[in-house]
Amino acid sequence: MNALIQPEIAYQAYPGLDAVRDQFPILQPQPRGAGESLVFLDSAASTQQPEAVIAASADYHRFHHANIHRGVYQLSQTATRLYEQARASVADFINAAEPAECLFTRGTTESINLVASTWGRANLKAGDEIILSMLEHHSNIVPWQLLAQATGAIIKVIPINDAGELLLDAYRQLLSSRTRLVAINHVSNALGTINPVQEIIAEAHAAGALALIDGAQWIAHGVTDVRAMNADFYTFSGHKLYGPTGIGVLYGKRWLLDAMPPYQGGGDMIEQVTFAETTYAGLPNKFEAGTPHISGAVGLAAAIEWVQSIGVEQIGAHEQALLHYATERLLQIPGLELKGTAQHKSGVLSFVITDPPVSTLDVGTQLDLRSICVRTGHHCCQPLMAHLGIAGTARASLAVYNNRNDIDRLADALADIVERARRTATAKSDRGARKSDSNRDLPVEMPDRSMESVDVAYPAATADSPEAAADETADLFSLLPDWPMRHEYLIELGDKLPPMPEALKTDANYIRGCQSTVHMAVRRKPGSADIIEFLADSDANIVRGLIGLLQRIFSGQSASAILAFDVDAYFARIGLDRNLSLSRRNGLAAMIQRLRELARQSIG
Ligand code: PMP
């Protein structure tokens, strides 16, 4: 079996790896009986925090907390000093010319919005062009779209090749005297491509444009030197650099920041306020209205210090070795297809399982059952996913604390998932073959099966009311003590779903807001005024299970009973609210909304 393949792939662990890993409380082996230790492979979303960072934030709260820049008392001055020292640490880390060029924001998203709102609105006019790339995260697309809508500017997009690399010739052709800004990521969060930012910036400058680099996915993986790369703006988030959430940085060259209007108005960003006129503070305060995230800045400084104590080059080298090993292991899993094979890649492994098809949602959910955390979905890169012709991928992303054992557990689990899917697919096709064998004597001439004539069986009510059905399932759930057992029950429910004819899987029946593909056909029961019934289907087994649950509760029930039923309370009662991600619940919410719409219409 594939899970047993342990190839001898050269992999040289970072020598101090065990000591590094020991510093992350969340990654420590669980006490006996508390389950397997965590394999955390979603660091591109957020890295875990080492003890030093947790302690720095806690110490700040315990011993130094006060509002900054205002108090004459010692405590406030200490807090101010810590906050401004954090800014100096950031400047040193990215080699900014001075700390004042480093603005604290909530993160990359806010940093980009700040530039779009202030520099963009002050400088762009109709017909000006902004160049983005196909690899961008929504946070480096939508702010520019908002700006384009407000100013009449035009967005152009650098295309990519099959490996997920930017096509630089096409980029050069997009550049013109109309280009005012090139905004691209340093590393793609969805595919891991490392972009040649220095070259891209130089070309932008040669065309007379500015360059903003979204460094969210680079900052923790290699040396950042904003002056060497000559970036006009550079952005990153603390929570992808072993630091806290809610804190990030916008680096900007002083001459640009000085000329930009403020972002938000409020305390701390002013020089003088009268009702007639306000003058603004200098950098960096002009862009930091209100009380900032002081403990976040302190935590970020601790994270930077921690990263520097290992060396960001060391971290990058360790991740490269692991990426190489992981790539080799994943490529040995039949039916698994890697997305993103750029020559220069950071520690991101995006993949889909196509043979047999396993939805990425099921991959993520099944890995979670084995305490392995990966991200699934479109990764906030819907234009890229559309370009690749897929709804999403499963993504494993690496950090300094990952080791060979993490990759082995991932690869073994994936091989097992594929193997099980293959067995299920074979069993299903055997059952299908037996069925068609037993139909062998039927007349060859089959009746016309247009949509109207399909004799579709919609599920009838399973109890007298949704409440009664809910009580029954809740009783059942209470016998299933943990999520793995509940998950298994849902998968079994999904297996028993009444089939939804392909003819009903229309655009009108497509449900938005799900990570998987979901169709739902809701109707009033023929011959009845207010009985609602529905069929639905999904490519994800877990969603099929949830559909089965909804059918048990709602299908065949009266419109008024459906409207009166509190679904949220029910999900909380059976504990599913703890195990279902918001996006899946959004999909569920969309299904429930469809039911309710028809129920409302039926009541009039
Ligand atoms: N850009 C990229 C490339 C990212 O990966 C992310 C986070 N996934 C962001 C921007 C947004 O970062 P944040 O949510 O911290 O603002």
Side-chain angles (χ1 to χ4, degrees):
M1 191 172 122
N2 291 305
L4 300 179
I5 297 174
Q6 296 288 340
E8 268 323 303
I9 298 159
Y11 162 70
Q12 206 84 53
Y14 163 61
L17 182 62
D18 287 343
V20 166
R21 217 179 142 87
D22 285 350
Q23 295 175 43
F24 288 81
I26 210 164
L27 301 178
Q28 296 320 302
Q30 298 295 303
R32 273 173 80 83
E36 293 173 296
S37 60
L38 201 63
V39 172
F40 190 76
L41 291 167
D42 193 21
S43 298
S46 267
T47 43
Q48 295 296 342
Q49 294 178 33
E51 192 58 58
V53 172
I54 299 169
S57 302
D59 271 13
Y60 168 79
H61 286 298
R62 282 208 177 92
F63 305 117
H64 307 300
H65 173 60
N67 210 323
I68 55 166
H69 294 157
R70 291 172 206 178
V72 292
Y73 50 89
Q74 277 300 318
L75 195 63
S76 169
Q77 288 177 19
T78 305
T80 305
R81 186 169 44 77
L82 290 172
Y83 183 72
E84 292 305 331
Q85 273 175 358
R87 196 189 306 281
S89 299
V90 168
D92 174 60
F93 189 55
I94 63 174
N95 196 28
E98 52 172 323
E101 291 182 323
C102 301
L103 312 178
F104 284 123
T105 62
R106 284 194 295 125
T108 306
T109 303
E110 189 174 52
S111 298
I112 297 173
N113 275 281
L114 191 159
V115 178
S117 301
T118 63
W119 174 84
R121 289 192 188 226
N123 289 285
L124 291 203
K125 56 180 189 321
D128 285 347
E129 293 178 1
I130 301 165
I131 296 182
L132 310 177
S133 89
M134 185 58 84
L135 295 174
E136 298 317 311
H137 187 279
H138 295 165
S139 61
N140 198 26
I141 298 175
V142 186
W144 307 116
Q145 285 176 331
L146 293 171
L147 177 64
Q149 280 157 19
T151 59
I154 294 160
I155 290 172
K156 303 252 159 131
V157 182
I158 309 171
I160 55 172
N161 63 17
D162 289 346
E165 294 163 319
L166 296 182
L167 293 175
L168 293 181
D169 284 341
Y171 166 54
R172 282 179 205 111
Q173 284 176 3
L174 291 178
L175 282 167
S176 76
S177 58
R178 290 182 302 279
T179 313
R180 305 300 311 282
L181 179 77
V182 177
I184 54 147
N185 59 38
H186 199 151
V187 173
S188 153
N189 63 308
L191 302 183
T193 313
I194 300 176
N195 292 314
V197 284
Q198 198 151 338
E199 196 180 333
I200 287 168
I201 294 168
E203 302 260 8
H205 288 167
L210 297 180
L212 176 145
I213 306 298
D214 166 358
Q217 295 295 340
W218 170 260
I219 195 73
H221 308 284
V223 174
T224 305
D225 185 333
V226 289
R227 277 191 286 173
M229 78 176 84
N230 203 7
D232 298 297
F233 299 106
Y234 196 91
T235 67
F236 66 91
S237 306
H239 67 98
K240 297 183 199 285
L241 181 61
Y242 307 97
T245 57
I247 187 84
V249 171
L250 169 64
Y251 159 81
K253 287 178 177 164
R254 176 178 268 279
W255 69 272
L256 282 164
L257 296 178
D258 270 338
M260 278 156 51
Y263 180 43
Q264 294 177 329
D268 238 21
M269 52 77 73
I270 54 92
E271 182 187 60
Q272 177 84 39
V273 179
T274 68
F275 280 112
E277 191 194 17
T278 292
T279 52
Y280 306 120
L283 293 182
N285 304 50
K286 181 170 83 172
F287 292 103
E288 292 182 7
T291 302
H293 187 5
I294 310 165
S295 68
V298 170
L300 175 57
I304 288 174
E305 198 181 317
W306 184 82
V307 164
Q308 283 173 326
S309 73
I310 300 170
V312 75
E313 303 96 323
Q314 282 270 31
I315 294 176
H318 166 71
E319 290 164 352
Q320 283 298 315
L322 207 51
L323 172 69
H324 180 69
Y325 176 68
T327 305
E328 300 276 303
R329 285 240 38 203
L330 293 200
L331 283 176
Q332 287 172 351
I333 297 171
L336 184 148
E337 201 183 305
L338 273 180
K339 297 283 177 187
T341 51
Q343 212 182 343
H344 298 289
K345 238 187 100 166
S346 79
V348 170
L349 298 120
S350 240
F351 57 90
V352 289
I353 295 178
T354 51
D355 183 23
V358 183
S359 90
T360 54
L361 188 55
D362 284 328
V363 173
T365 312
Q366 291 193 41
L367 289 175
D368 178 48
L369 288 168
R370 295 159 169 92
S371 302
I372 302 170
C373 309
V374 299
R375 179 57 51 118
T376 60
H378 53 64
H379 315 296
C380 296
C381 294
Q382 284 182 343
L384 173 62
M385 294 299 137
H387 172 81
L388 297 173
I390 51 178
T393 69
R395 181 192 70 186
S397 53
L398 308 176
V400 66
Y401 38 67
N402 292 119
N403 58 18
R404 181 176 162 140
N405 180 50
D406 290 345
I407 301 304
D408 288 339
R409 267 181 61 191
L410 172 74
D412 290 350
L414 287 171
D416 187 43
I417 290 167
V418 171
E419 182 61 34
R420 280 164 190 256
R422 184 153 293 150
R423 278 204 301 266
T424 309
T426 311
K428 271 191 186 149
S429 79
D430 284 354
R431 276 204 300 273
R434 275 202 299 279
K435 233 187 206 162
S436 66
D437 271 0
S438 63
N439 285 346
R440 205 177 283 147
D441 296 335
L442 289 179
V444 178
E445 189 90 357
M446 295 298 278
D448 171 31
R449 296 231 143 202
S450 69
M451 203 170 129
E452 286 73 27
S453 66
V454 174
D455 184 17
V456 182
Y458 280 66
T462 59
D464 289 344
S465 66
E467 282 76 16
D471 285 345
E472 279 173 19
T473 53
D475 284 349
L476 234 160
F477 265 77
S478 68
L479 298 175
L480 306 171
D482 56 17
W483 169 237
M485 290 178 85
R486 289 169 185 198
H487 176 267
E488 203 176 309
Y489 171 70
L490 283 174
I491 299 299
E492 278 168 20
L493 260 189
D495 275 348
K496 293 184 203 130
L497 223 54
M500 181 178 194
E502 290 303 311
L504 288 178
K505 295 182 182 170
T506 58
D507 281 354
N509 285 339
Y510 179 73
I511 299 283
R512 283 177 167 274
C514 306
Q515 262 199 42
S516 61
T517 305
V518 179
H519 287 95
M520 179 184 202
V522 189
R523 72 171 188 185
R524 231 170 267 142
K525 185 175 177 180
S528 126
D530 77 333
I531 299 294
I532 309 286
E533 49 187 21
F534 75 95
L535 283 169
D537 197 5
S538 165
D539 61 343
N541 292 332
I542 180 71
V543 177
R544 286 169 57 83
L546 293 170
I547 290 169
L549 203 59
L550 290 185
Q551 274 177 341
R552 280 176 163 240
I553 290 171
F554 290 123
S555 194
Q557 299 291 349
S558 74
S560 53
I562 288 173
L563 287 173
F565 187 76
D566 183 346
V567 189
D568 282 343
Y570 170 65
F571 272 84
R573 180 177 167 197
I574 61 174
L576 279 190
D577 58 337
R578 289 194 293 275
N579 299 102
L580 298 176
S581 80
L582 188 66
S583 52
R584 240 178 293 157
R585 297 224 40 214
N586 280 346
L588 273 186
M591 281 197 264
I592 291 159
Q593 201 181 329
R594 288 233 174 155
L595 278 173
R596 291 173 146 267
E597 263 164 31
L598 188 62
R600 240 178 258 119
Q601 286 167 19
S602 307
I603 285 176

